[in-house]
Amino acid sequence: MKIGKKETVLVFGLSLVSKILTYFLLFVLGNYYSKASYGLVSFTLSIFNLVLFFSVMGLPTILIPWIIDKRDISSIFYFLSIINIIFVIIGLFISIKYSWILPLVLILPLMLLDRIGVAILNIKYKYHIVRFFNVLLILITSVSVFILKDLDILGLTIGYSLGYLTSIIATIYLTRKEIFKLISKVRFNYPIIKEYIKTGFALYILAI
């Protein structure tokens, strides 16, 4: 199965919608939040994305050929799950002082399942669905940060987290059977994990 003209048009159309919604989000941020608040949350989101590099290392890009080749995905999942648990514990301790980061800390483990789901959708050539969920993320984030503007910094982190969570739930729901099949057997194959880590860092180096 290959992506058809209809799906190509949908991807293009959704990309345009995504840009429009991004401008709306920037409008909300610029008019309802102080530069200090948005700057602090932007820094926090940068740290969050850095943590994601390690907690979902190489996903979904590396995982796509691995799934196609029927390689051991279970070992990768459970290894990355341990990494996620460590980061969540660290995040929970930090949130004792900076409570507004808690929403982002709580959604971190779900990002692993989300990235596996995205890989599965890409294998099925469902690029338009992946793009739609990205649009949904921006839409929910924009509406949420507007509604929660009186909460200031906490409103921003909750708003972004709700955007992520909506997209995550939708992705996991559509790919739940495939995800369960891939991770149902608990494995921890060190050579596979070692190979995956090397591939993940190589991909990161190429990206920068």
Side-chain angles (χ1 to χ4, degrees):
M1 179 183 176
K2 301 230 174 174
I3 186 169
K5 292 182 179 179
K6 181 179 178 181
E7 287 79 9
T8 303
V9 172
L10 279 172
V11 169
F12 178 75
L14 289 169
S15 296
L16 291 178
V17 174
S18 177
K19 289 181 179 180
I20 294 171
L21 289 173
T22 299
Y23 284 124
F24 174 70
L25 175 58
L26 292 174
F27 172 81
V28 172
L29 295 173
N31 286 273
Y32 295 98
Y33 290 89
S34 67
K35 289 183 179 179
S37 295
Y38 178 59
L40 185 57
V41 172
S42 293
F43 175 74
T44 302
L45 288 173
S46 296
I47 299 299
F48 180 74
N49 288 324
L50 178 62
V51 170
L52 277 179
F53 166 72
F54 295 100
S55 65
V56 297
M57 186 182 300
L59 300 182
T61 306
I62 299 176
L63 207 61
I64 293 174
W66 281 51
I67 293 175
I68 292 174
D69 294 339
K70 301 184 185 304
R71 301 195 65 181
D72 180 6
I73 305 302
S74 179
S75 292
I76 305 305
F77 172 78
Y78 288 104
F79 166 72
L80 292 178
S81 293
I82 293 173
I83 302 298
N84 272 270
I85 291 171
I86 293 171
F87 278 122
V88 168
I89 292 172
I90 294 172
L92 289 174
F93 275 109
I94 296 175
S95 68
I96 294 174
K97 184 174 182 179
Y98 305 102
S99 59
W100 44 270
I101 73 168
L102 186 59
L104 292 172
V105 173
L106 295 178
I107 67 165
L108 181 62
L110 296 176
M111 297 296 291
L112 176 56
L113 291 172
D114 174 73
R115 296 304 168 89
I116 295 175
V118 170
I120 292 168
L121 289 174
N122 283 331
I123 290 172
K124 294 182 175 182
Y125 299 99
K126 302 292 184 180
Y127 308 117
H128 56 295
I129 294 179
V130 174
R131 177 63 64 178
F132 173 75
F133 289 161
N134 288 336
V135 171
L136 187 63
L137 186 157
I138 301 172
L139 175 62
I140 298 300
T141 300
S142 301
V143 173
S144 298
V145 297
F146 175 73
I147 293 174
L148 300 172
K149 57 185 181 296
D150 292 336
L151 295 178
D152 197 39
I153 297 177
L154 181 59
L156 283 172
T157 55
I158 291 176
Y160 274 96
S161 297
L162 287 174
Y164 281 122
L165 186 61
T166 303
S167 176
I168 288 170
I169 290 174
T171 300
I172 293 175
Y173 178 77
L174 282 184
T175 57
R176 61 194 185 281
K177 292 181 180 178
E178 292 88 346
I179 292 175
F180 179 77
K181 184 177 179 181
L182 289 172
I183 67 174
S184 58
K185 294 182 179 179
V186 180
R187 297 190 184 94
F188 207 83
N189 191 321
Y190 177 71
I192 291 291
I193 294 170
K194 183 178 179 180
E195 178 185 354
Y196 190 86
I197 293 173
K198 287 182 179 179
T199 307
F201 275 104
L203 181 66
Y204 175 72
I205 293 172
L206 289 174
I208 60 174

